[in-house]
Amino acid sequence: MSDNKGTVIRRIGRSGRGSDAAQVAERKKACIHALFNRPWILKEEDKELYFTVKDHYDELRNWFMEQTGYPLIVTRTLAKLDKVPVVAYPWMGFTEFREQRDYIFFTFGLWYLEGKTELDQFLLSDIVEEIREHMNGQGLEADWSNYYHRLSMARALKKLRSLGVLFSVDGDEGEWAQNESRNALFECSPNVRYILRRFPQDLTFYNGMEELSDPVIYADTPEGQALRRRHRVYRRLLLEPAVPDRLWNEEDLSYVLTQRRSIMDQLGRMMGWEGRRYREGLLFFHPELTGEATLFPTLSGGSDLALLVAGELRRQLNQEGSDRYVEDNGCIRVERSEMETLLLRLQRKHKEYWSKEFRVASSQELAELCFTHMVEWNLGVWEDHSYFLISPVLGRWNAEYLFTGDLD
């Protein structure tokens, strides 16, 4: 299972293009995964992949538009898939950001940079002062004498640098965040104008936020709405880790049920994913154990805890006389205190296999980590402050520690 942040990319030279159908298929899969899971493919950083996208541009563009509505953009320096989710989850944001203010400063940073030409150099003091004046003129607060505002701006600038649209020539934003009198010299990349998504029409024509999620303009006809439904289904399957039946609306679920064979064929052929229909829904799995993506189970301790919890709940369900049961929608309802007790028991049972951090953690800390991890992977959701619904998708896993003995 993938959270759509990337996958394995086989590095194949261009000299053998067209000589082997299997290699061509692999190259196309690599392109699609990279386009879905990276902000873009830069020619200067991955020339092979960039030229492969160009080689198969017509086929890839048509497939993306037909199945998802996403436009494929190819310039002399990059290839980019203009993606937008159907459902926006917190994990889709920038993990480096801590405050809403970070996103505001990031957006105004793009506004400043889009007014620059290629290789323009400017001082950090120039960009922050112009952003401050522009924001204050619109009634928004930007006060660089405020340490926390400087920290937010520094995180925004750092993200722009990590995306490769802002280059540090001398100094960096970290020193300025600690001391407002410090300065730095930056340089602009022409790719900055491709960061923001391109809308199919002027923003003044939209009547609500929900309309902004449509990647193209759909005709108000049965055919147009059918196309919109297909795009919506594919976009969710491609961008979300797991979409069980209970998370679809009635219209989209009908499409998933009637077109599941076609969906599995399409995603199997183009993505290399293995699709299976279970009682809880249509699920897709990545066939390899590793990849460019973050795949579930991850290497983090949160996945270990979730898998151990899944195994423990499975055992409780099979125990005669157990009061554990499955809800009508396939979920298991667990109270916060129950999860803490369960993890405390697992901690005592498996502590010799756990890291020091987990061995000394409180049951409350372990439960919070496990809850957060399951929410991020669509494997559970809070029903209210006290009760958590664990998705039946997690029941597809079971985990045990195996002792293989001393290799010495």
Side-chain angles (χ1 to χ4, degrees):
M1 184 177 296
S2 168
D3 74 339
N4 301 295
K5 296 176 183 174
T7 188
V8 169
I9 292 180
R10 279 180 58 186
R11 301 300 295 260
I12 302 173
R14 300 184 69 212
S15 59
R17 288 182 298 157
S19 62
D20 186 335
Q23 285 189 346
V24 170
E26 279 297 306
R27 285 198 294 269
K28 285 189 289 188
K29 288 177 186 177
C31 290
I32 291 177
H33 280 288
L35 288 166
F36 264 111
N37 301 301
R38 303 182 192 180
W40 47 38
I41 300 171
L42 293 178
K43 177 181 176 181
E44 63 181 18
E45 292 183 0
D46 200 331
K47 188 173 293 186
E48 286 183 22
L49 213 53
Y50 169 81
F51 279 110
T52 303
V53 173
K54 292 197 70 173
D55 291 342
H56 301 284
Y57 173 74
D58 289 338
E59 181 183 358
L60 294 175
R61 178 196 57 189
N62 293 340
W63 188 83
F64 286 131
M65 187 55 65
E66 182 177 348
Q67 305 303 332
T68 69
Y70 291 155
L72 176 60
I73 301 168
V74 177
T75 73
R76 63 183 178 84
T77 60
L78 61 82
K80 181 195 177 187
L81 190 66
D82 231 354
K83 304 176 288 290
V84 58
V86 178
V87 181
Y89 291 95
W91 56 264
M92 292 179 175
F94 295 145
T95 57
E96 304 94 329
F97 285 1
R98 300 290 178 264
E99 309 283 346
Q100 291 183 359
R101 187 170 52 236
D102 298 2
Y103 287 97
I104 296 173
F105 291 155
F106 177 84
T107 303
F108 279 100
L110 290 174
W111 163 81
Y112 177 87
L113 293 175
E114 286 189 354
K116 297 296 179 182
T117 58
E118 185 174 356
L119 303 181
D120 264 359
Q121 292 189 351
F122 51 89
L123 293 172
L124 186 152
S125 57
D126 294 334
I127 182 173
V128 297
E129 184 57 26
E130 193 161 335
I131 287 174
R132 185 191 67 80
E133 291 180 357
H134 186 69
M135 290 182 62
N136 290 347
Q138 298 187 19
L140 300 173
E141 184 183 11
D143 180 7
W144 306 133
S145 65
N146 185 317
Y147 173 66
Y148 295 101
H149 282 209
R150 294 201 306 276
L151 278 181
S152 285
M153 188 68 215
R155 286 192 289 266
L157 292 171
K158 185 176 181 180
K159 185 61 182 180
L160 289 167
R161 288 201 296 113
S162 71
L163 289 171
V165 297
L166 181 67
F167 302 117
S168 176
V169 178
D170 184 23
D172 60 52
E173 65 285 338
E175 296 177 352
W176 171 78
Q178 299 301 319
N179 185 342
E180 187 185 359
S181 65
R182 304 300 293 269
N183 214 335
L185 181 64
F186 291 129
E187 190 174 276
C188 182
S189 163
N191 296 331
V192 66
R193 55 187 52 91
Y194 296 102
I195 287 280
L196 292 181
R197 168 194 164 203
R198 296 183 175 185
F199 290 90
Q201 62 181 356
D202 191 275
L203 291 178
T204 58
F205 288 99
Y206 292 97
N207 297 314
M209 290 294 293
E210 66 280 357
E211 296 180 7
L212 296 176
S213 66
D214 286 341
V216 296
I217 302 299
Y218 298 101
D220 192 15
T221 62
E223 292 78 11
Q225 294 311 303
L227 181 63
R228 185 181 191 182
R229 179 179 61 175
R230 182 171 76 227
H231 287 176
R232 196 166 55 227
V233 167
Y234 272 89
R235 286 159 57 204
R236 291 199 68 182
L237 291 172
L238 285 162
L239 295 185
E240 298 178 35
V243 190
D245 288 351
R246 62 185 179 83
L247 294 184
W248 295 109
N249 62 36
E250 184 177 350
E251 181 184 10
D252 292 351
L253 178 58
S254 175
Y255 182 89
V256 171
L257 294 176
T258 57
Q259 301 297 319
R260 62 181 179 274
R261 176 52 57 189
S262 174
I263 295 172
M264 287 191 287
D265 289 345
Q266 286 284 346
L267 298 186
R269 178 172 60 88
M270 301 302 286
M271 304 290 294
W273 288 352
E274 297 175 359
R276 296 177 188 173
R277 174 68 200 179
Y278 294 103
R279 180 174 56 184
E280 58 269 20
L282 179 62
L283 305 179
F284 288 89
F285 300 86
H286 192 285
E288 305 295 333
L289 295 177
T290 60
E292 185 179 326
T294 302
L295 305 174
F296 186 88
T298 71
L299 297 178
S300 75
S303 285
D304 291 349
L305 294 180
L307 292 175
L308 289 171
V309 166
E312 184 64 22
L313 292 176
R314 185 193 297 272
R315 282 187 287 273
Q316 291 181 7
L317 289 170
N318 293 331
Q319 285 178 356
E320 187 175 352
S322 171
D323 58 357
R324 182 73 64 197
Y325 65 94
V326 177
E327 303 289 327
D328 292 339
N329 60 8
C331 294
I332 297 178
R333 179 182 285 106
V334 177
E335 194 171 5
R336 184 187 292 268
S337 59
E338 286 183 292
M339 180 67 84
E340 293 174 3
T341 301
L342 189 155
L343 285 165
L344 181 61
R345 187 160 59 245
L346 289 171
Q347 184 186 48
R348 292 171 178 168
K349 180 179 179 182
H350 301 300
K351 62 181 180 181
E352 62 183 299
Y353 302 108
W354 287 13
S355 66
K356 181 180 179 181
E357 177 187 2
F358 278 17
R359 289 199 302 270
V360 302
S362 66
S363 58
Q364 293 88 348
E365 292 171 332
L366 293 174
E368 192 60 36
L369 175 62
C370 191
F371 285 138
T372 299
H373 195 72
M374 286 191 284
V375 168
E376 289 178 348
W377 284 92
N378 272 14
L379 298 175
V381 63
W382 284 103
E383 185 179 45
D384 54 36
H385 179 70
S386 300
Y387 289 95
F388 189 82
L389 294 176
I390 297 179
S391 171
V393 176
L394 187 62
R396 294 296 161 187
W397 282 271
N398 196 0
E400 287 285 354
Y401 288 108
L402 297 178
F403 179 67
T404 58
D406 190 345
L407 296 179
D408 293 336

